[in-house]
Structure formats: C-alpha cells, structure tokens
C-alpha cells in the first residue's frame, strides 16, 4: 500500500486526511524504522507494509466506531503505538493514554508524540494488571482499545476494568477471532461487559482477515479483577 492508496482508501470510508496529517504518518514511519534499529519495536519495516499492516489496520477501528467526538481513550499494550497513535493522527480531538510494560517503548512513544506535535497524549510504564487496579485509572475511560495483545479471555481482564460503565472496549483481532470470542464469553460477562457487535473484513492488498469486537461495559468490574501480573495469562477466566 503506497501513501496515495492509504489516503484514498480512508477517504472512501469517510476519513479525509489533510496534508499535515499525511506528513505526520510519514514522520511516524521514519521514526519507527530509525528507532527499530536500536530496539525491537516491529518486525514490519517495509514502507508499504507499515502503511497497510500498522497505519491502515489501526485506523480501520474507525470504520465501525465513531472517533469524531472528543473521547478519553486508553490503549493497552500498544507497543510502538498501534492502534491508538494512527487513530489519534486521524482524529486529533481524542485524548490518548497508552500503558505499556516496557519502558524503552514508552521512551519511543514520548519522543514520537513530541516530534509529531500531538497534544492530549499520556504514556505510562506499567503492567496492565496493576494499572487496572490503580484507582486513578480504573473505570475512567470512555474507550479502551487493544490490538492482538492476548486472547479474548485474557484481554478482557486487562481492558474491561479500565472502561467506564457505559463505555466501550474495542478488541482488534485476526482470523481466530470466532474461537477466541467463544472462549472469552464467560470473562466478558464476569467483568461487566456485553458484546454489542462484531465486524469482520479483509485488509486491502493482501486480503488477510480482521475482526473487530465492540463490547459495552454494562456494570462495574468486580474488585478482584484484574488479578496479579501474569495470573490472567496463566489461569484465564474460561
């Protein structure tokens, strides 16, 4: 996917990007590749692949959820900033908090945000499990998003405690999404969520499968969740 295709395909979905926004994606790409030589941020470094599999794939969440309004969004385990930074570039009004367990990645994200001139971004070095028990962040976000961080049962335990009652958890998944959802239904319910909708589509060019789950937070998460670091992964709610 070249930059013209990227812009045109998003425009087809009603997402119009200015010249400045296109410049921001370009700077993002160059910084990603530059920092990737010093630390492991991504295995995907070819420009057409970054635009397709990182930038377009991240913004695809906006095909099914409205980011045009001001929102407080938290991205759990964003790594090199996906999906929230590409979404933030396209929708500058949203506020973004990224929590990641690796401090080196947080350093990269802080530099990236500064270079791109992004306002309303916060980067926190923490494990999702302890972050979700912190009263300063627990049930504070209108939207919590994560892309392929862990299977649904685990991901729900890391993300749903951060969502306000009445808010939304967006899980971005690949081709095993249906099986994951079946295994994760119990966790979603226990943690206070309910599946509102699921959307499957194929990425252009390479035609790989993607699925987006949109989950409503209907009631508060029981205080015991999330459990201690590592526990959700070792003994998922299934």
């Amino acid at each position: 996917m070249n930059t013209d295709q990227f812009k045109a395909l998003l425009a087809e979905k009603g997402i119009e990007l200015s010249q400045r926004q296109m410049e921001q994606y370009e700077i993002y790409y160059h910084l990603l590749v530059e920092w990737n030589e010093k630390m492991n941020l991504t295995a995907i470094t070819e420009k057409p692949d970054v635009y397709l599999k990182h930038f377009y794939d991240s913004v695809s969440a906006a095909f099914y959820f409205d980011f045009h309004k001001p929102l407080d969004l938290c991205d759990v385990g964003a790594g090199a900033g996906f999906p929230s930074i590409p979404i933030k570039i396209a929708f500058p009004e949203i506020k973004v908090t990224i929590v990641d367990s690796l401090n080196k990645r947080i350093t990269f994200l802080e530099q990236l945000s500064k270079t791109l001139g992004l306002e309303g971004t916060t980067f926190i070095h923490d494990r999702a499990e302890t972050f979700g028990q912190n009263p300063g962040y627990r049930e504070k976000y209108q939207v919590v998003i994560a892309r392929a961080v862990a299977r649904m049962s685990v991901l729900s335990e890391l993300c749903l405690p951060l969502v306000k009652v009445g808010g939304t958890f967006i899980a971005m998944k690949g081709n095993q999404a249906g099986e994951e959802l079946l295994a994760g239904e119990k966790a979603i319910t226990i943690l206070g969520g309910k599946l509102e909708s699921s959307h499957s589509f194929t990425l252009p060019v390479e035609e790989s499968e993607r699925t987006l789950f949109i989950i409503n937070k209907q009631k508060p998460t029981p205080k015991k969740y999330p459990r201690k670091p590592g526990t959700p992964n070792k003994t998922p709610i299934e």
Side-chain angles (χ1 to χ4, degrees):
M1 174 179 280
N2 63 36
T3 55
D4 290 340
Q5 288 173 307
F6 174 70
K7 187 176 182 181
L9 286 168
L10 289 181
E12 282 177 19
K13 297 286 187 179
I15 301 165
E16 300 282 351
L17 298 173
S18 67
Q19 186 179 342
R20 171 61 182 151
Q21 286 167 310
M22 289 301 293
E23 285 167 3
Q24 287 175 309
Y25 285 114
E26 192 68 4
I27 293 164
Y28 193 168
Y29 166 69
H30 287 291
L31 272 179
L32 180 69
V33 171
E34 182 188 321
W35 280 66
N36 202 55
E37 290 174 4
K38 299 179 274 186
M39 65 173 83
N40 181 27
L41 289 169
T42 177
I44 297 166
T45 55
E46 294 298 319
K47 189 172 181 179
D49 293 336
V50 170
Y51 269 82
L52 175 65
K53 296 177 187 177
H54 283 327
F55 296 166
Y56 183 90
D57 189 34
S58 292
V59 179
S60 70
F63 304 165
Y64 307 103
F65 186 86
D66 184 10
F67 290 98
H68 285 95
K69 51 197 181 234
L71 292 167
D72 267 330
L73 176 143
C74 181
D75 186 350
V76 175
F82 309 121
S84 57
I85 299 296
I87 293 171
K88 168 74 175 169
I89 293 171
F91 302 93
E93 296 302 308
I94 65 170
K95 288 182 180 172
V96 168
T97 299
I98 290 178
V99 56
D100 198 276
S101 61
L102 198 63
N103 206 30
K104 285 194 286 190
R105 285 198 290 256
I106 294 294
T107 304
F108 164 72
L109 291 167
E110 286 171 342
Q111 185 59 53
L112 174 69
S113 180
K114 191 175 169 186
T115 306
L116 295 179
L118 300 180
E119 293 178 2
T121 54
T122 305
F123 306 104
I124 296 168
H125 174 226
D126 201 354
R127 290 286 298 257
E129 295 95 331
T130 47
F131 186 74
Q133 286 290 0
N134 186 321
Y137 306 112
R138 186 179 178 88
E139 298 190 330
K140 293 288 196 258
Y141 297 97
Q142 290 154 292
V143 180
V144 176
I145 195 165
R147 189 178 79 141
V149 173
R151 60 193 189 277
M152 274 306 293
S153 49
V154 179
L155 199 59
S156 298
E157 185 169 351
L158 302 180
C159 294
L160 275 167
L162 296 165
V163 184
K164 280 181 179 178
V165 173
T168 306
F169 164 38
I170 302 172
M172 304 181 74
K173 290 287 176 184
N175 59 2
Q176 303 295 316
E179 295 163 35
E180 282 197 37
L181 184 63
L182 279 174
E185 281 175 346
K186 181 181 176 184
I188 291 166
T189 303
I190 286 172
L191 296 158
K194 185 180 181 185
L195 181 70
E196 179 191 312
S197 58
S198 66
H199 308 273
S200 293
F201 62 101
T202 54
L203 271 190
V205 186
E206 66 163 30
E207 301 293 313
S208 57
E209 287 179 46
R210 294 289 185 272
T211 299
L212 200 79
F213 295 128
I214 296 179
I215 293 162
N216 282 341
K217 178 77 171 275
Q218 295 195 316
K219 57 186 185 205
T221 300
K223 287 190 172 65
K224 69 185 251 188
Y225 300 108
R227 292 165 292 168
K228 290 179 182 176
T231 306
N233 214 29
K234 284 180 198 151
T235 55
I237 308 164
E238 287 180 358

